[in-house]
Amino acid sequence: MMRAQRRGKPAEHFFSASHFVHVRPMFEVAWMSFLAGISGPLQSTDSLEVVELCLDGFKYAIRIAAFFDMELERNAFVTTLAKFTFLNNLGEMKAKNMEAIKALLDVALSEGDHLRGSWRDVLMCVSQLEHMQLIGSGQDQDGRKGSRSKKLPAEELANESRSTHITVSVDMVFSLSNQLSGAAIVDFVQALSDVSWEEIQSSGLSETPRLFSIRKLVEVCYYNMNRIRLEWVNMWAILGEHFNQVCCHSNVHVSNFALDSLRQLAMRFLEKEELPSFKFQKDFLKPFQYTMVHNNNPESRDMVLQCLQQMIQARAHNLRSGWRTMFAVFSAASKVFNESIASYAFEIVTIVNRDHFSSVVFHGSFADLTLWQRVITTIVWLFKTTTPYQLLDERLRTEVDEGSASTAATEEPQKTTLLPAPLSPPLTDVTDSNLTDPATRKRVFSLIITKCVLQLLLIETTHELLQSNDVYENIPPEHLLGLMTVLDDSYQFARGFNANKEVRNGLWKVG
């Protein structure tokens, strides 16, 4: 029917909507007329009865647009309603504008899962409302140039902005964020971060910058602490970037407030044990590393080290992957051209080495240490199992009849599989009678030759590894000493074997 109308053909039949999905195409056709029909009276009248009907129309239109994920229509209605709040023009605010604020808060509470990008308009109005409350109570802390010359709202409206209805609704916008879906909470956090940064940019140069939204960000994190790790990864991708910006702000009051907020959040996160498959600790500590590298203010850098020291003192038993980021912070601090910062970082590292080093290695928290422990342990084991001590066994130097050896080799084929040297059975299990058997002796010599080849390859591989400065400098001292021990054992065996002419001549005689 709609396609026929677009082609200019009159509809011959009237169709009745029988399913809720039919609402979408009808709303797509009529939404602009609806918007004009309820916006005009809302703007022109002061009758609260008419205003209430218009605001109900806004709420129902936003519900339809949000439910069907109609981005253009949703943005149009939410933006228009937000403008009707007059929060950016307090001197012209009337009672109907206060009702628009209440309607917008009701929309936030009822349609939060589907607001998507429209959350920014809602949360910007919440921020402006808090600013209005400060102005109305005589506590304007905006600090923006010319803010004192702005018209104040009527006393009745200022009191209404602090009413129980509005205050509770604002609190519920944040406290009920834990009921938002996994996708909606990401949209919510993104919008709140954008509003927070706009607040800081507009007032960040004053002595009392506005930090309302970043405070609410921290509260939202507390309310959503029990969300699954996967959702937190998506949330922190936004929050981490925002903290990077705020922690490096030129105003030390802003950066220190953000660092302290981040410390409080980190303390809460560290109350939970980190799951083996998620390395979330290193992610939520990254802003400390970013601040140490990019914020040149010594006071902020000192604040970073204070935060990490407090976390180590209080939550060291729960630290896992977070150790790696902490060491990256200490490494960055050591490169700072400030003696007090470098010395402070060295003191903390000394304490960690003294009190927590075993815990760092045990939990596999510091990936480099864990990796090298596994690599060196494997190399040491291979050295020990491929050293051909069987060459010194006298039974191998006993001569056997060559004729019987060739006959036996022909008549009785080798029935055993030749295993790699480390997996081969020890020579102590072979009896004297077995060693006189040509086939057994041949098998044993083959195994010894394999071990000798593997030993030489190990020595060459170790030599190549230690030629790299990056490898050598990153091997922990105790692991390096273990490697040197087995290399020395291999050298002493080779030296002793080469010096023992009797053994070498005996083995040469038996082939």
Side-chain angles (χ1 to χ4, degrees):
M1 180 178 71
M2 293 173 59
R3 291 174 182 170
Q5 288 178 343
R6 290 192 185 104
R7 290 194 294 266
K9 297 180 180 179
E12 299 178 356
H13 302 284
F14 179 81
F15 295 91
S16 298
S18 58
H19 198 275
F20 75 91
V21 296
H22 296 151
V23 174
R24 180 186 177 110
M26 291 190 292
F27 192 74
E28 284 179 335
V29 172
W31 73 269
M32 285 188 284
S33 300
F34 291 155
L35 181 59
I38 58 180
S39 297
L42 183 60
Q43 187 172 5
S44 61
T45 187
D46 289 329
S47 170
L48 291 182
E49 183 179 358
V50 176
V51 167
E52 184 178 355
L53 291 173
C54 293
L55 293 176
D56 285 343
F58 269 100
K59 289 192 281 188
Y60 293 142
I62 292 172
R63 175 170 296 180
I64 292 172
F67 180 82
F68 290 106
D69 195 20
M70 303 166 71
E71 183 179 6
L72 176 63
E73 294 83 350
R74 183 195 66 235
N75 289 339
F77 279 95
V78 173
T79 301
T80 304
L81 181 58
K83 289 180 179 178
F84 272 122
T85 63
F86 271 42
L87 283 167
N88 57 350
N89 189 9
L90 300 179
E92 303 296 328
M93 182 178 284
K94 300 179 180 180
K96 65 179 181 181
N97 304 117
M98 190 60 63
E99 295 301 315
I101 293 174
K102 296 176 183 178
L104 189 63
L105 292 175
D106 291 341
V107 167
L109 294 175
S110 62
E111 314 302 332
D113 273 343
H114 308 289
L115 283 180
R116 295 185 179 272
S118 298
W119 267 118
R120 192 180 189 283
D121 293 313
V122 174
L123 295 175
M124 179 59 73
C125 285
V126 172
S127 172
Q128 293 172 337
L129 177 62
E130 189 265 350
H131 185 213
M132 175 185 175
Q133 293 169 346
L134 290 177
I135 294 175
S137 61
Q139 302 175 16
D140 181 13
Q141 299 179 356
D142 192 350
R144 284 182 294 183
K145 191 174 182 179
S147 61
R148 294 184 180 180
S149 63
K150 289 186 176 180
K151 294 182 179 181
L152 299 179
E155 183 177 354
E156 180 182 354
L157 296 177
N159 293 333
E160 180 67 16
S161 70
R162 299 189 296 272
S163 66
T164 303
H165 181 184
I166 290 182
T167 303
V168 171
S169 296
V170 169
D171 288 341
M172 290 176 65
V173 168
F174 300 103
S175 62
L176 296 183
S177 62
N178 60 346
Q179 298 181 12
L180 295 174
S181 66
I185 189 61
V186 173
D187 295 327
F188 184 89
V189 168
Q190 181 66 69
L192 190 54
S193 298
D194 293 341
V195 173
S196 170
W197 184 240
E198 188 167 330
E199 280 182 1
I200 293 169
Q201 287 290 82
S202 64
S203 64
L205 298 180
S206 67
E207 294 182 359
T208 54
R210 290 197 64 213
L211 301 170
F212 169 77
S213 293
I214 194 171
R215 286 193 183 97
K216 291 302 178 183
L217 266 178
V218 176
E219 290 181 16
V220 167
C221 290
Y222 288 156
Y223 294 136
N224 290 270
M225 197 61 67
N226 292 325
R227 284 188 179 270
I228 61 175
R229 300 295 194 276
L230 188 60
E231 291 178 350
W232 259 113
V233 169
N234 296 330
M235 291 168 60
W236 197 256
I238 300 168
L239 289 169
E241 286 298 321
H242 184 60
F243 275 109
N244 286 346
Q245 285 182 310
V246 182
C247 290
C248 291
H249 197 273
S250 57
N251 189 329
V252 70
H253 299 293
V254 174
S255 61
N256 283 0
F257 179 86
L259 286 170
D260 187 61
S261 301
L262 187 62
R263 178 193 61 80
Q264 296 176 43
L265 279 179
M267 286 290 197
R268 288 294 300 271
F269 283 128
L270 290 174
E271 290 178 358
K272 294 185 174 184
E273 187 174 356
E274 186 176 55
L275 299 177
S277 56
F278 282 89
K279 307 299 181 185
F280 188 51
Q281 289 183 2
K282 67 179 179 63
D283 292 330
F284 69 71
L285 293 177
K286 282 286 186 182
F288 289 112
Q289 179 184 354
Y290 187 90
T291 305
M292 180 60 71
V293 174
H294 295 91
N295 193 330
N296 295 324
N297 191 312
E299 187 175 342
S300 296
R301 283 173 166 168
D302 185 78
M303 182 75 170
V304 169
L305 296 177
Q306 288 182 39
C307 293
L308 295 190
Q309 185 177 32
Q310 292 178 22
M311 280 184 270
I312 292 171
Q313 291 173 346
R315 299 283 189 268
H317 59 283
N318 272 348
L319 275 169
R320 299 292 186 270
S321 65
W323 283 117
R324 181 163 192 160
T325 305
M326 285 191 172
F327 279 109
V329 174
F330 300 143
S331 175
S334 68
K335 301 173 184 176
V336 172
F337 293 105
N338 186 302
E339 184 178 354
S340 62
I341 298 298
S343 299
Y344 192 3
F346 181 76
E347 290 175 8
I348 299 175
V349 172
T350 302
I351 294 172
V352 172
N353 181 59
R354 183 190 66 201
D355 300 336
H356 307 293
F357 186 77
S358 59
S359 176
V360 172
V361 177
F362 175 78
H363 291 297
S365 309
F366 198 24
D368 292 340
L369 294 180
T370 305
L371 173 63
W372 282 111
Q373 182 181 21
R374 293 177 180 174
V375 171
I376 299 301
T377 300
T378 303
I379 292 177
V380 168
W381 177 76
L382 287 172
F383 263 109
K384 290 181 178 179
T385 54
T386 58
T387 303
Y389 293 106
Q390 294 91 338
L391 289 173
L392 303 179
D393 195 314
E394 294 183 359
R395 295 173 295 175
L396 288 177
R397 300 195 296 274
T398 304
E399 296 185 19
V400 296
D401 182 68
E402 294 182 359
S404 62
S406 60
T407 304
T410 303
E411 294 178 354
E412 185 180 348
Q414 185 174 340
K415 297 180 181 180
T416 58
T417 303
L418 183 62
L419 299 174
L423 303 179
S424 63
L427 195 57
T428 53
D429 295 340
V430 182
T431 63
D432 292 337
S433 58
N434 287 340
L435 281 177
T436 59
D437 178 68
T440 302
R441 175 170 287 195
K442 183 177 181 180
R443 178 176 63 85
V444 171
F445 272 122
S446 297
L447 292 173
I448 292 174
I449 293 171
T450 303
K451 285 191 174 188
C452 293
V453 173
L454 286 175
Q455 183 92 163
L456 291 173
L457 290 174
L458 274 174
I459 294 171
E460 291 179 6
T461 301
T462 305
H463 173 72
E464 292 175 1
L465 284 174
L466 297 181
Q467 287 295 306
S468 170
N469 289 332
D470 291 336
V471 173
Y472 181 79
E473 291 175 359
N474 283 284
I475 298 179
E478 62 272 22
H479 298 161
L480 194 59
L481 288 174
L483 186 58
M484 294 301 103
T485 299
V486 291
L487 281 171
D488 183 65
D489 291 342
S490 177
Y491 167 73
Q492 295 297 340
F493 172 80
R495 182 179 181 183
F497 177 78
N498 290 332
N500 195 330
K501 295 183 179 180
E502 180 182 355
V503 172
R504 294 173 62 192
N505 288 332
L507 292 173
W508 177 74
K509 289 179 180 179
V510 297

